[in-house]
Amino acid sequence: MIVRLMGGGGQFKVDDSLLDRLNELDEQAVAALERNDEEELDARLDEMADLVQSNGEPLPENDLAPSDVVIPPSDLTLEETRRLLSDDGLIPDLPAAG
Amino acid sequence: MAGLMSRAAMVIKAKFSKLLDRAEDPGETLDYSYERQLQLLQNVKRGVADVVTAKKRLQLQSDKLEQSLVKLDTQARQALAAGREDLARAALERKAAAQAQLQDLDRQLQGLEEQQQKLVSSERQLSAKVEAFRTQKETIKAQYSAAEAQVRIGEAATGIGEQMADTGLAIQRAKDKTESMQARAGAIDELVESGALEDFTSDQTQLDRELAQVASQGQVDSELEKMKAELDAGEKQKELGS
């Protein structure tokens, strides 16, 4: 499984066995987001990123493989995280060519 | 809501797939995507340069504050030596305020430094992927039939699209941060100009003037003493002579 750490962290190849633990933290992160607990959300996101970094193998930077899941960065505000996850979200439009 | 991880991945893919819908011809899609990658690479380089400029401005302000800390400390000592505890207190109060400003500036500088590191790392990742994409693009064009090419383009473009989305976000965030910092620095300049805030770093503060006064008062006093002594001596000589 390939995981991207958003915010410049790059991509990692991790063993599928890590998915259960990641999902558990992910659920806690969702709950924290829903009750507006930014501190808890940031802590869970950091924990997820640490887990991936310490157990995964960094993908070469010139690898073009897409990620299976993406972990949002922990330095966003609650509002920014919500926008990131919404359809017309936080991610800016890509630049027009030429 | 689905988990954050899968939701984030979905949003990013959706954002990028629009780009691929544009062209009919696989070769065209490749070229179009590549042009946008180069454009984004330019943007991220510009973003890094902007953060560096903002950091320099804050660093200059920070250096000035450091200097004023030293100066205010010296002034407090001078004032105390001259027996003016009120002035010494005023100098130390300003020193404390300047110290608080300095700490705030340092935090801001650290924030910018983090943005810069993220941008630089994003730029490096994007740059490596763009180069890989360029190579793959030529291979796809040369070796595959239109149908096969479509599939391979989809794979390569999705992979790089994710990086583009991440880099785009990093640029946006650095830009927001730099702009808010500049607005803040501008607001401080305005306050200082309007006189609402004492500029710790200006050459002549009220404190400077009062201390200068104390110093000149001291000089006048000592010259007066000297003159008196000279006069006394003159008188005595006259007395001796007569």
Side-chain angles (χ1 to χ4, degrees), chain A residues 3-11 19 22-23 26 29-30 33-34 41 45 48 60-73 75-77 80-81 83-98, chain B residues 1-9 11-16 18-19 32 35-36 39-40 43 114-115 118 121-122 124-126 128-130 132-133 136 155-166 168-170 172-173 176:
Chain A
V3 182
R4 168 176 291 273
L5 305 182
M6 264 191 110
Q11 291 170 292
L19 196 58
L22 277 177
N23 275 330
D26 195 4
V30 171
L33 181 63
E34 277 167 5
L41 172 66
L45 288 174
M48 287 158 81
E61 288 183 346
N62 61 2
D63 198 310
L64 294 177
S67 308
D68 297 290
V69 293
V70 172
I71 299 179
D75 63 353
L76 302 178
T77 63
E80 284 172 331
T81 305
R83 276 174 53 212
L84 175 71
L85 301 173
S86 73
D87 288 328
D88 56 356
L90 191 64
I91 296 166
D93 286 329
L94 299 167
Chain B
M1 185 197 268
L4 301 182
M5 297 188 299
S6 47
R7 183 91 190 121
V11 167
I12 287 179
K13 284 199 181 77
K15 185 107 210 167
F16 195 73
K18 284 182 202 154
L19 195 154
Y32 180 67
E35 275 177 54
R36 296 186 86 166
Q39 181 70 44
L40 190 64
N43 291 359
E114 278 165 22
Q115 294 300 331
K118 282 182 183 176
S121 129
S122 229
R124 200 189 52 235
Q125 290 162 6
L126 182 63
K129 282 182 166 53
V130 168
F133 186 89
Q136 211 159 328
E155 286 164 6
T158 308
I160 200 165
E162 199 184 296
Q163 182 64 50
M164 290 172 80
D166 196 6
L169 181 61
Q172 185 62 48
R173 284 183 57 73
D176 290 348

Side-chain angles (χ1 to χ4, degrees), chain B residues 12 41 52 90 97 127 155 165 177 201:
Chain B
I12 287 179
L41 211 46
V52 169
S127 167
E155 286 164 6
K177 190 128 196 161
T201 60

Side-chain angles (χ1 to χ4, degrees), chain B residues 16-205:
Chain B
F16 195 73
S17 67
K18 284 182 202 154
L19 195 154
L20 290 182
D21 293 342
R22 196 175 167 273
E24 290 281 311
D25 170 39
E28 233 178 80
T29 308
L30 284 171
D31 292 337
Y32 180 67
S33 177
Y34 183 61
E35 275 177 54
R36 296 186 86 166
Q37 291 160 23
L38 293 180
Q39 181 70 44
L40 190 64
L41 211 46
Q42 282 306 309
N43 291 359
V44 73
K45 281 182 204 299
R46 208 174 306 136
V48 173
D50 287 346
V51 173
V52 169
T53 308
K55 258 175 54 189
K56 270 187 196 150
R57 182 171 180 187
L58 287 187
Q59 192 60 59
L60 272 177
Q61 285 186 329
S62 170
D63 289 348
K64 275 188 181 176
L65 277 173
E66 291 273 12
Q67 286 166 13
S68 79
L69 283 186
V70 175
K71 182 175 143 191
L72 285 164
D73 194 82
T74 310
Q75 285 177 331
R77 279 168 209 282
Q78 285 170 350
L80 210 53
R84 290 290 306 272
E85 199 177 321
D86 59 329
L87 283 185
R89 183 175 294 278
L92 290 177
E93 276 166 5
R94 271 168 215 194
K95 187 182 160 193
Q99 249 161 348
Q101 272 204 2
L102 192 62
Q103 275 170 4
D104 185 47
L105 267 186
D106 283 346
R107 266 195 303 274
Q108 291 182 43
L109 263 170
Q110 209 185 332
L112 275 185
E113 180 65 40
E114 278 165 22
Q115 294 300 331
Q116 188 184 344
Q117 278 171 14
K118 282 182 183 176
L119 269 186
V120 167
S121 129
S122 229
E123 181 195 346
R124 200 189 52 235
Q125 290 162 6
L126 182 63
S127 167
K129 282 182 166 53
V130 168
E131 183 50 30
F133 186 89
R134 190 185 64 80
T135 314
Q136 211 159 328
K137 175 169 87 94
E138 296 314 315
T139 312
I140 291 172
K141 275 187 179 174
Q143 295 183 358
Y144 294 93
S145 69
E148 279 174 312
Q150 199 77 58
V151 174
R152 286 177 189 271
I153 289 162
E155 286 164 6
T158 308
I160 200 165
E162 199 184 296
Q163 182 64 50
M164 290 172 80
D166 196 6
T167 303
L169 181 61
I171 296 171
Q172 185 62 48
R173 284 183 57 73
K175 202 174 150 203
D176 290 348
K177 190 128 196 161
T178 309
E179 275 171 9
S180 81
M181 218 143 277
Q182 265 153 1
R184 203 161 151 181
I188 290 177
D189 286 347
E190 251 177 60
L191 278 173
V192 169
E193 272 165 33
S194 73
L197 264 190
E198 178 89 45
D199 182 3
F200 297 122
T201 60
S202 81
D203 287 338
Q204 274 280 319
T205 63

